[in-house]
Every structure is written in C-alpha cells, then in structure tokens.
Amino acid sequence: MSHLNDTDGELHRFRKRIMALAIFVLFCFFLLLLRFVWLQIIRHSNYAAQADENRISIVPTMPARGVITDRNGVVLADNYSAYTLEITPAKIQGKVDEVIGELSELVEISPFEIKRFKRRMEETKRFESVVLKSKLTDAEVARFTVQRYRFPGVEVQARMFRQYPLGEVASHAIGYIGRISQKDMDRLPEEEETNYQGTTHYGKEGIEKNYESILHGVTGYEEMEVSASGRAVRTLSTRSTVPGSNLILSIDIELQKVVEEAFGKRRGALVAMDPSTGEILAYVSKPTFDPNLFVDGIDQQNWDALNTSINRPLINRPVRGAYPPGSTYKPFMALAALELGYRTPQAAINDPGYFNYGNHRFRDDKVGGHGIVDMYKSIVQSCDTYYYVLASEMGVDTMHDFMKQFGFGEKTGIDLPHERKGILPSTQWKQSAYRNPAQKKWYAGETISLGIGQGYNTFTPVQLAFATALLVNNGSAARPHLVKEIEDGVTHERRPVVTETVKLDLKQENINVVKRAMVGVTTEGTAARVFGGAGYISGGKTGTAQVIGIGKNEKYNAAVLAEHKRDHALYTAFAPVDNPRIVIALIVENAGFGGTAAAPIARKAMDYFLLGKKSSPTPVVPAVTDSAEYPDMPDEDVQPMITPAIPDEDSTDEE
C-alpha cells in the first residue's frame, strides 16, 4: 500500500513538472510571437527603411542656377560645367592625409586646396562628398580614372560652376555666390531645407543673395540601388530638376561701363534711375572687386587685399555708404519753404557772407557774400547763408517731418540686401540715439548746419536718387529696383517686376520754381561750364560735403589734409527737363567741389544715355564753387556742429 502511494505521488509531481515546462515553453513561444509582431508589423516600416537605406541611395541632382543679364541681354552671371575631385570621408580606406598624398601624385593639389578641403570636411557630414579640387583638366581626369580602383571613396564629378564674364563691372549690384554654410542653412525657411540638400553654393551678396530662392531652382534626385561596396547597380526612380529662373536687370551695362571708366581710380558711388518705372539704369560703387574670386572660396592673399584696403572695395556704397548730402539738399529745403509758407520765390535776403547765430558766425562759401539773394539765386549760386536763415526759422522737427516723405532716413526698398536707413535728425531721434543725458538734448545751434545738408544729416546715394526722382518728376516716382523681369527657367515666359509708386501731395507751381532753379545750375550756375554745349537741357545741383570738423578761426585747406579727410563731391541731375527719363545721384569721395569732380561724371553718363555718346571732351572747371561752410566751433550752449559724432545706425537698424 505504501508503495502505491509513493508511485502516485511521483506521478503527480512528474505531471506538475511537465505542466510547468509546457507553460514555460508556451510562454517562450508567446514572447517570440510578440517579438515577431513587433518586428514584422509594428516596426516593419522602420526596418524596411533601414534595409532600403543599405540598398538604396538617394542622390540629389542640382538644378542649373538662373542666368543674370542686363536689359539688353548681355550676360552678367552664367554657369559652365567642369570636373571636380571629391572625397567621401566615410568611404575612404586609410587616413585622409595619406589619401590626399597619394592623389597628389596624379593631380596637382595646392596647400590652399588642402586647407580648404579640411575646413569643408569639418562642416560636412562624413557620408557626404567634399570637393578637394575643382576644375580638373582633361589630363588630370584621365590620370585619375586609370587609377580609380586604388581610391575607394574618391570620385570625379561633373558640376556646374558660376562665372561672371565681365569681372569687376557692376559687381556690387550682381553680387556673388559662395560655399553654403551652416548659417545659410539655418536661415532657410523649413520648407526650403529639403530643396537645398546637396547644394554646395549660395547667394552671398547683391542680386545673387536677394533673389537666391528664385535663382536656385528645384533640386531633383536619383534613387539608386547600390551594392554592399557602394557601387551603383541601377536607377530605381528619378525626379527631374527644375532650373532656376533667369533675371533680366534694368541696368544698361554699357552705361555702367561709361560711368565706371569716368570714376577711374577714385572712390564713390552713382545711382541712375528712371523715375517713372524705378528701374536702375546704372549702379556704381567704386572701387569694385572681381566676384569670381569668391565662387570657390577666396584665398587669403586676395581676401586680405580686399578686406584691409583703406579704400574698402567690398563696401556697397549706394546702399551702405551714408554721407552728408551737402548742397544737394538745398532744392528740398527750398521746396519745404514754399510748401510750408516760409518763403515765396521772390522773397530775398542780403547775404554779407555769413550768418550770425548767438555769438557765432556761420560763414558762406563766398567771401563777401552773394548780395541780394532770392530762391532762384540761392540754388543757382548755392548760397549757404540763405539756408542758414531758413533752417533757423523752420527748426529741426519741421524739416524732419517734411523731408521724411521723400524717403530720407528710411529704406527705399531697393532689391538689394543690407540697405541702411541713413539719418534724418529730429529731437526725438537724438533722444533715442544717445545714452548720455547731456547728448540727448537738442541744441538750437545744431539746426543751422542742417539747412546746407551737413550736421547729423547722412543719406545713402540710393536715397538721394529716389528723393531727387520724387522732386523732379513732379512728386511721383516708382521705388528703385534692379531686376526688370523674371524669366521662367522652363517656359521662358517673362513677368515684369513692378514696384510701388510713391505720390506726394505737392503744389506743381512750387515744384516748377525749384526745377527751374536746378536748370539754372546747369545753364548759368555752379555746373554751367560742365554742361555747356551738351545738346540737351538738364537740371542739377552741385554739392560739397565736409568730412571732418574745422576748428575755430581755421580755414579749410585740402592741400594739408590727408586724402581721406578731404571734402566729398556730390551732384544730382535729371533730364530731359519736361519729362525726366533719367535721374542721377552721385558722390566722389574726398574729391573736393561737386562742380569739379562729380558733375563731369554725370555729364558723361547723360551724354551716353541721351545721345549715345561714349565720351565727351573734358569739361572746363566751373568758376563758381559750392564749397561746404565751415563754421567756427561753438560754445557748449549752442553746439552747431557740422560733422558731429553720430552713433552707428546699425546698432538699432533691423537687417
């Protein structure tokens, strides 16, 4: 009996063990089933994608960048194809330096190219190719191809390169492209990031930057099946690229060349525009530079030459250079006096050659004065005293409110990056511009110099051109722009670029008074000898702007000053008088009188534009000058400063 009980107990224990083992096995199978569901159902898409990534490579194909031409079809920025030697760091065998050393036996690689490659490699993901050498010759391509098997991860690729056929001509307007940086990528809108995958270059300045998204086009791709070694097996699918749109600029490149040649080696800027359309006809910033240097990375020697030059060739002067307008401001002051009721055309003053304000004397440019001066004579002979008196009567805020409508102190909206606002002073402006409470106060004596375009007044050449266009085109002008038309890269259909037209509420009889006086400048005034025998009637205004302050009882003497401290020469012009087709604003830095240095350049530009002449005889220097007034240094309670210390507007200017 005892034996049977033991057998039954053992059998019961055995069955329990079998049951436990079965449950354990079933549990393991259940875990395997769960894992299977996880891998094959829940995570299927992820693992399938990983498998495809090992098998499939997405290769972006770059679109052709849009071409830039002038208004007559002359190519200003174009593309050409060339071979590049590229390394994919993740695929090479051995150290990068060793691979480059072996490649140097086949292809000439300079130290600059090696340094540039390493810098780019730090900015690029390891599985992306990095250009080591650009623009390989046919012989270099052939030598590498024969030895290709020795260099896994190294490829010769055909790429498109940007070129600027005219070199330095109009370079500040066109701008340039350069290697795309992480900062460039970070600035891209989120929806554009995919379109820039694989992109190597990006617009850095000028039109190239401002119209980057239009010029770039749409990136295509090739979906390639690759072997384990990374070799392409077959193409699975493709998406075609869409070439960038072409830009037709409003610039007449022949007019541009005429003006740049007229400047010679002098520094300065010129903006010529059609007031009715806003089209920029010539856009000059001197000195200039060769944009081709920047396309594939500028070398240190050329960069230092450009960046450290005292002439500052990289500064885009028409939109970045802020200068006192000098006597070119007087026509606007005259119009303000008429519109606001401070003067009539016939009202005259007696100019003894100076204007006393408090205990200080503001001298006129003409010793002994101009005698009896009405509004016409004040512009034609550029009488400073007339505008000293007018400024003292009007006050800074009245001048500010009137001048603001002409765009002074505001961006014009020209289609270029980094445009400055300039400074149109007011009491409110000074309070916000300075931190020191003593500097925030506006002194009455500071108002006087504003009347002749000095003091805190600083405007860009493009602002001066736009303001002049509004004045001489009877209070109406389109905002300036450089792109005339945009041409679709596929259909070649063109759409014109139209900008806002600004219209001012001004009395025509007052505009006529000022325009008649500006015509007098070219027929009997400070620019008369420059425009003698021109074959057309134009209007204009000469100007000379002081660069540094002159101490009490001192006289201005250019001969004893360093060149960069001498006066700027300015000129504004328009023609034909009745229906202006061209308006010009220009400055020649540190060149002296506007009638001597600036007006002759405007004459050459107008001769070409209106008459088709590419050159004209060197004009005779006019006898009448328009030099800036240099007042005695004031006491602290008056402070009428000609060239005050002005805070950098970029500290508050939004870019």
Side-chain angles (χ1 to χ4, degrees), residues 323-335:
Y323 308 91
S327 293
T328 62
Y329 202 52
K330 291 174 181 176
F332 300 96
M333 286 291 296
L335 184 61

Side-chain angles (χ1 to χ4, degrees), residues 362-427:
F362 293 81
R363 294 190 298 271
D364 195 279
D365 65 285
K366 184 177 181 181
V367 178
H370 294 84
I372 303 299
V373 180
D374 61 6
M375 184 170 287
Y376 179 85
K377 187 176 179 180
S378 74
I379 294 175
V380 171
Q381 296 190 11
S382 201
C383 174
D384 290 338
T385 304
Y386 185 95
Y387 293 96
Y388 290 145
V389 176
L390 180 58
S392 68
E393 294 178 15
M394 294 178 65
V396 59
D397 288 331
T398 298
M399 286 188 284
H400 170 274
D401 293 345
F402 182 84
M403 299 302 180
K404 186 176 180 179
Q405 65 184 323
F406 286 90
F408 291 122
E410 301 289 337
K411 295 181 180 180
T412 64
I414 190 172
D415 47 352
L416 286 174
H418 313 308
E419 182 183 7
R420 295 182 70 178
K421 291 181 178 180
I423 295 174
L424 179 63
S426 65
T427 54

Side-chain angles (χ1 to χ4, degrees), residues 298-507:
I298 188 169
D299 62 83
Q300 194 64 45
Q301 182 178 357
N302 279 311
W303 171 249
D304 289 340
L306 292 172
N307 194 44
T308 62
S309 170
I310 192 174
N311 293 323
R312 306 183 76 184
L314 296 179
I315 296 295
N316 195 338
R317 285 167 164 83
V319 293
R320 293 293 298 166
Y323 308 91
S327 293
T328 62
Y329 202 52
K330 291 174 181 176
F332 300 96
M333 286 291 296
L335 184 61
L338 294 172
E339 287 286 320
L340 301 177
Y342 284 89
R343 292 287 186 277
T344 64
Q346 299 77 25
I349 67 164
N350 179 37
D351 172 25
Y354 57 86
F355 171 67
N356 288 328
Y357 186 83
N359 297 323
H360 302 282
R361 175 167 292 184
F362 293 81
R363 294 190 298 271
D364 195 279
D365 65 285
K366 184 177 181 181
V367 178
H370 294 84
I372 303 299
V373 180
D374 61 6
M375 184 170 287
Y376 179 85
K377 187 176 179 180
S378 74
I379 294 175
V380 171
Q381 296 190 11
S382 201
C383 174
D384 290 338
T385 304
Y386 185 95
Y387 293 96
Y388 290 145
V389 176
L390 180 58
S392 68
E393 294 178 15
M394 294 178 65
V396 59
D397 288 331
T398 298
M399 286 188 284
H400 170 274
D401 293 345
F402 182 84
M403 299 302 180
K404 186 176 180 179
Q405 65 184 323
F406 286 90
F408 291 122
E410 301 289 337
K411 295 181 180 180
T412 64
I414 190 172
D415 47 352
L416 286 174
H418 313 308
E419 182 183 7
R420 295 182 70 178
K421 291 181 178 180
I423 295 174
L424 179 63
S426 65
T427 54
Q428 183 180 0
W429 164 82
K430 197 177 184 192
Q431 288 173 1
S432 61
Y434 291 94
R435 295 181 180 179
N436 189 326
Q439 293 178 305
K440 289 177 177 290
K441 179 182 177 181
W442 185 272
Y443 296 90
E446 293 177 310
T447 304
I448 310 304
S449 298
L450 299 180
I452 63 167
Q454 292 281 173
Y456 293 105
N457 286 323
T458 56
F459 310 131
T460 64
V462 72
Q463 282 178 325
L464 190 55
F466 180 53
T468 303
L470 281 167
L471 172 60
V472 303
N473 203 46
N474 302 325
S476 174
R479 291 195 176 277
H481 58 98
L482 280 158
V483 175
K484 177 181 173 68
E485 294 176 309
I486 298 175
E487 181 183 71
D488 188 277
V490 177
T491 65
H492 299 292
E493 293 181 0
R494 294 187 178 187
R495 60 180 177 90
V497 174
V498 180
T499 58
E500 173 196 15
T501 296
V502 177
K503 295 183 179 181
L504 305 183
D505 185 16
L506 302 171
K507 295 179 181 178

Side-chain angles (χ1 to χ4, degrees), residues 188-360:
L188 286 173
E190 186 175 346
E191 62 271 14
E192 282 287 323
E193 291 180 2
T194 302
N195 193 36
Y196 276 81
Q197 293 299 317
T199 297
T200 58
H201 287 76
Y202 191 84
K204 298 290 187 177
E205 290 295 340
I207 289 295
E208 291 275 29
K209 178 174 183 175
N210 215 59
Y211 288 85
E212 166 61 34
S213 60
I214 293 175
L215 289 164
H216 179 269
V218 178
T219 300
Y221 67 81
E222 287 186 345
E223 192 176 45
M224 305 288 296
E225 183 177 359
V226 296
S227 64
S229 63
R231 299 271 185 169
V233 176
R234 61 193 176 101
T235 300
L236 300 177
S237 64
T238 62
R239 185 183 75 179
S240 300
T241 61
V242 178
S245 295
N246 303 321
L247 300 181
I248 294 88
L249 304 190
S250 56
I251 286 177
D252 182 334
I253 204 63
E254 292 303 321
L255 174 62
Q256 181 83 17
K257 291 178 182 177
V258 167
V259 175
E260 290 193 13
E261 291 172 3
F263 266 91
K265 294 183 179 181
R266 294 175 293 183
R267 300 177 303 278
L270 177 145
V271 176
M273 63 178 288
D274 183 332
S276 61
T277 64
E279 295 175 1
I280 299 295
L281 305 171
Y283 184 96
V284 175
S285 181
K286 294 282 288 186
T288 185
F289 63 91
D290 186 354
N292 291 295
L293 294 172
F294 292 88
V295 173
D296 207 34
I298 188 169
D299 62 83
Q300 194 64 45
Q301 182 178 357
N302 279 311
W303 171 249
D304 289 340
L306 292 172
N307 194 44
T308 62
S309 170
I310 192 174
N311 293 323
R312 306 183 76 184
L314 296 179
I315 296 295
N316 195 338
R317 285 167 164 83
V319 293
R320 293 293 298 166
Y323 308 91
S327 293
T328 62
Y329 202 52
K330 291 174 181 176
F332 300 96
M333 286 291 296
L335 184 61
L338 294 172
E339 287 286 320
L340 301 177
Y342 284 89
R343 292 287 186 277
T344 64
Q346 299 77 25
I349 67 164
N350 179 37
D351 172 25
Y354 57 86
F355 171 67
N356 288 328
Y357 186 83
N359 297 323
H360 302 282

Side-chain angles (χ1 to χ4, degrees), residues 360 441 443 634-639:
H360 302 282
K441 179 182 177 181
Y443 296 90
D635 292 335
E636 294 181 359
D637 60 336
V638 182
Q639 296 195 2

